[in-house]
Amino acid sequence: MTRVWKWNRPVTVREVLEDLQQERSIAYTTVMTVLDNLHQKGWVRREAEGRAYRYEAVSTRAAYSAALMNEAWTQSDNPAAALVAFFGMMSPEQREALRDAVRMVQGPEETPAPQNPAAENPATENPTAENPAAEKPAVENAAVENPVGENPAATGGETGR
């Protein structure tokens, strides 16, 4: 799949073979079998071109990764704890990317109307003034703003899927 995603266009077995052979020796039939298996599993579509096929990814690498994360998260008996643990494994750069993604999904920030009577009256003590994170969800506070340490095993490398 990495090779098919890399080109982001329909590819032939021969193209994938030639690309892989730059790194290692591999048989044409091996590449053909793998692409056929990916087709049978629904990961790639193919169109006949003469006596050969052109294979194209059904979804993007990002969509595939998102589906894997969603599947793992939904199978957890405690999704919030799973998210906190996952966020704790992230590098600072990954957490910043997560914040950016959340901002994109939420859209432009709007100035909300005050929902706290104390916020309407400056003479009244505002409990969020001392703790600006008090109104944020607990999972976001624990996982994104105050992550639970780095995971040295989380290298961010590709899995080769």
Side-chain angles (χ1 to χ4, degrees):
M1 280 307 300
T2 298
R3 304 302 167 144
V4 176
W5 281 320
K6 177 179 145 183
W7 282 311
N8 196 28
R9 64 170 175 79
V11 296
T12 63
V13 171
R14 176 73 53 202
E15 289 174 316
V16 175
L17 173 72
E18 289 172 0
D19 191 38
L20 288 169
Q21 284 181 333
Q22 293 178 14
E23 298 172 14
R24 66 178 191 259
S25 178
I26 189 167
Y28 181 93
T29 54
T30 301
V31 177
M32 184 176 62
T33 299
V34 169
L35 285 169
D36 185 58
N37 288 341
L38 290 170
H39 175 256
Q40 289 178 23
K41 291 180 180 184
W43 291 30
V44 295
R45 67 177 68 87
R46 69 182 180 193
E47 280 193 37
E49 183 176 282
R51 293 178 33 194
Y53 287 108
R54 284 206 171 266
Y55 295 87
E56 183 177 21
V58 170
S59 69
T60 65
R61 181 180 215 128
Y64 171 73
S65 297
L68 285 177
M69 290 187 284
N70 186 57
E71 182 181 345
W73 180 58
T74 57
Q75 290 181 5
S76 173
D77 60 344
N78 187 342
L83 284 173
V84 170
F86 178 66
F87 296 156
M89 294 177 191
M90 297 172 108
S91 69
E93 294 81 16
Q94 290 170 321
R95 286 192 299 273
E96 187 58 34
L98 174 65
R99 287 185 195 97
D100 292 343
V102 169
R103 282 191 286 271
M104 284 191 287
V105 170
Q106 290 177 339
E109 291 189 30
E110 299 175 13
T111 307
Q115 296 179 3
N116 182 345
E120 295 178 47
N121 183 355
T124 309
E125 184 181 35
N126 184 349
T128 60
E130 291 179 42
N131 183 5
E135 292 182 313
K136 294 182 181 177
V139 170
E140 184 180 13
N141 288 337
V144 179
E145 297 297 329
N146 300 311
V148 293
E150 300 294 322
N151 179 354
T155 62
E158 294 186 13
T159 62
R161 288 186 186 173

